Amino acid sequence: AGQGTMFEDFPFCKKGRLVLHEGKRIEEKDLIGAGEFMRKKSEFRSKEVESNNFSRYVILASKGCPWAHRCWITLSLMDFPLKLYFTHSFNITLPLIGPIVEIQFPAISTEGWRICGLPAHVLEGVGQEAKAGTLSRYLQGVWAPQKDGMWLGKFYQVSDPEVTARVVVPILWDLREKKIVNNDSSDIVRMLDRNFCESERDRSVELCPEDKIKEIDDLIADIYVINNGVYRCGFAGTEEHKQNARTEVYTALEKLEARLASSSHKFLLGDKLTQPDIHLFTTMIRFDTAYCMAFRVGRKNLNDFEHLKRYIRLIYDQPKVQRTCLPLISYSLFYFQVCQWRGKVCGNLLRLCLAFLLELTGANKPNCARPRLMLYKFLSFPIWSVIDVFHI
């Protein structure tokens, strides 16, 4: 996450409780800019690790966050014996025709990220988890402040009592030194690929080959326009800033579509997955169901990019990648927690219905068959018509 203008009316996450300034919480409005979302650089960027001692480190992440998802995919692909702990999730059950469908989606409290069920050796030197009563915990869910678990800001405060930062994931935590080693997802992915002991991982996967580092870094910079652009669109303070971000996102997507159309390779830099593929995948798997809906990035979605969709499907169909992906409706529910609602309730509720329709028809999946996509377009037409007619 970053520093800059955010919406004034987070419905489930009150503003001003996610920021540390010199080790203390301050109102986020004190850091507001001039209407454009500005992502602040990560504060912890050390790349020094004990390469042959995986048990010394853990990663704290969220299943909903695309930046943290990069680390999860990397661990899965390489069969790393590194522990990964996730922030609070909320379960709902949907009584549909046939079986009951249970959906787990990541939740964020009024304080930001909270993480439950951490073992004692991880909490050592940080503090104790808060415990809410059973009834209170049930009623709270994500619709009220979630008091269970440990606020991730404590890990930042322990690492640096004078830190000024927004509390974000992922976090590479050093259990011995009781400090954050790194909280930049791109750094962590590269460290997992290059800095840890080779004998402890699957070397058939090499995300950052030495001979392609320059190409990888350049491509990551291009993809960042999309990674960050969807947030610039969703958290824009003015319509002008939203439109500028939207234009940049779709321009970048068109360039990638052209690149894939003219290439004979499976992936962006050849026939093997590399780091840029992961950076792009974790945004695009959320694009239709979360960013186009909750963040209103636009109506043109992954299905409108033939080669890009085929490319994302190739990645999604890999079992080690697919097992890190939640039901795609989970990403919608996560982002609808933090999008703008003031003056947009009706439009948001209709878009949330569209997100559920995407899930029920399967049209939100990269490997969706054409008949399912046509069914979604048919069923969604009346809803989009209402949105267009009333401009909501």
Side-chain angles (χ1 to χ4, degrees):
Q3 174 179 324
T5 294
M6 305 289 281
F7 283 122
E8 298 288 342
D9 56 343
F10 280 36
F12 314 120
C13 317
K14 294 181 181 178
K15 272 174 50 64
R17 301 186 68 186
L18 309 179
V19 182
L20 289 169
H21 179 68
E22 296 180 353
K24 299 178 181 178
R25 289 183 202 174
I26 64 169
E27 292 288 330
E28 191 173 35
K29 64 185 180 184
D30 294 339
L31 299 179
I32 293 298
E36 183 175 7
F37 175 80
M38 304 295 291
R39 186 172 296 279
K40 189 177 183 294
K41 292 184 178 180
S42 301
E43 292 76 15
F44 299 92
R45 300 294 297 273
S46 172
K47 298 177 183 178
E48 296 182 6
V49 292
E50 188 178 352
S51 63
N52 61 349
N53 189 359
F54 280 91
S55 62
R56 178 175 169 176
Y57 306 95
V58 297
I59 294 178
L60 308 179
S62 165
K63 293 181 179 179
C65 173
W67 314 87
H69 193 184
R70 299 170 177 179
C71 302
W72 190 7
I73 290 176
T74 302
L75 290 175
S76 179
L77 287 172
M78 297 181 175
D79 295 322
F80 267 111
L82 192 68
K83 292 290 185 181
L84 186 66
Y85 296 99
F86 294 106
T87 55
H88 175 68
S89 292
F90 185 67
N91 291 295
I92 61 172
T93 55
L94 300 176
L96 303 175
I97 298 174
I100 298 294
V101 176
E102 183 176 81
I103 296 175
Q104 180 191 73
F105 65 97
I108 189 167
S109 77
T110 55
E111 293 180 318
W113 301 113
R114 297 190 74 88
I115 193 162
C116 303
L118 289 175
H121 73 281
V122 177
L123 290 172
E124 185 180 346
V126 180
Q128 296 296 317
E129 289 188 356
K131 296 293 183 183
T134 303
L135 179 60
S136 175
R137 184 161 56 248
Y138 174 80
L139 294 175
Q140 285 164 358
V142 295
W143 314 113
Q146 174 56 245
K147 297 301 183 184
D148 268 1
M150 172 68 68
W151 178 53
L152 285 192
K154 287 290 293 181
F155 290 89
Y156 281 73
Q157 291 170 324
V158 170
S159 299
D160 180 0
E162 301 297 320
V163 68
T164 295
R166 293 188 77 248
V167 178
V168 299
V169 289
I171 293 171
L172 180 62
W173 180 253
D174 186 332
L175 295 170
R176 180 186 300 172
E177 299 294 331
K178 311 299 178 190
K179 68 178 183 180
I180 297 174
V181 178
N182 200 298
N183 72 332
D184 182 89
S185 61
S186 186
D187 284 354
I188 295 174
V189 168
R190 188 155 304 183
M191 291 163 69
L192 293 173
D193 187 71
R194 301 176 64 84
N195 293 27
F196 281 99
C197 183
E198 297 188 4
S199 62
E200 296 289 337
R201 48 158 287 191
D202 180 2
R203 291 305 304 183
S204 66
V205 177
E206 188 175 13
L207 298 177
C208 307
E210 186 67 38
D211 61 337
K212 293 185 178 180
I213 289 296
K214 178 63 166 60
E215 289 179 272
I216 287 172
D217 288 340
D218 290 345
L219 196 48
I220 283 175
D222 293 339
I223 292 170
Y224 181 77
V225 174
I226 303 169
N227 299 147
N228 190 52
V230 292
Y231 285 86
R232 289 178 56 224
C233 187
F235 292 151
T238 67
E239 188 58 35
E240 180 183 1
H241 287 113
K242 178 183 283 288
Q243 187 56 46
N244 289 341
R246 181 182 291 129
T247 300
E248 290 181 17
V249 166
Y250 281 111
T251 299
L253 287 174
E254 293 287 358
K255 289 181 179 178
L256 286 173
E257 174 73 2
R259 179 190 181 108
L260 291 167
S262 62
S263 173
S264 60
H265 298 299
K266 293 181 180 179
F267 305 112
L268 292 173
L269 290 176
D271 292 325
K272 290 187 176 182
L273 275 175
T274 55
Q275 188 174 1
D277 296 309
I278 293 177
H279 282 220
L280 182 59
F281 175 81
T282 58
T283 292
M284 296 311 298
I285 197 65
R286 293 161 171 79
F287 194 77
D288 293 11
T289 191
Y291 301 133
C292 287
M293 298 300 179
F295 280 1
R296 305 191 180 199
V297 171
R299 294 275 284 274
K300 194 173 182 180
N301 58 33
L302 187 58
N303 291 304
D304 297 309
F305 297 92
E306 177 186 354
H307 298 91
L308 190 56
K309 180 179 179 179
R310 185 183 301 120
Y311 156 81
I312 295 297
R313 182 172 67 241
L314 281 174
I315 301 175
Y316 181 77
D317 284 343
Q318 297 192 35
K320 288 184 178 182
V321 173
Q322 192 167 142
R323 73 188 183 193
T324 69
C325 298
L326 299 176
L328 301 188
I329 186 61
S330 300
Y331 301 131
S332 291
L333 295 171
F334 173 70
Y335 280 94
F336 271 107
Q337 293 176 72
V338 296
C339 70
Q340 184 183 20
W341 280 79
R342 182 177 298 167
K344 300 179 181 290
V345 173
C346 292
N348 282 358
L349 290 176
L350 288 174
R351 285 173 172 80
L352 188 56
C353 289
L354 288 168
F356 274 100
L357 194 57
L358 277 169
E359 181 70 21
L360 294 175
T361 59
N364 57 355
K365 294 183 179 179
N367 54 7
C368 167
R370 184 171 177 78
R372 288 181 174 270
L373 179 59
M374 298 306 296
L375 176 62
Y376 165 74
K377 289 184 175 181
F378 174 76
L379 295 175
S380 65
F381 178 77
I383 301 177
W384 280 119
S385 297
V386 172
I387 291 173
D388 291 338
V389 168
F390 293 99
H391 303 288
I392 54 178

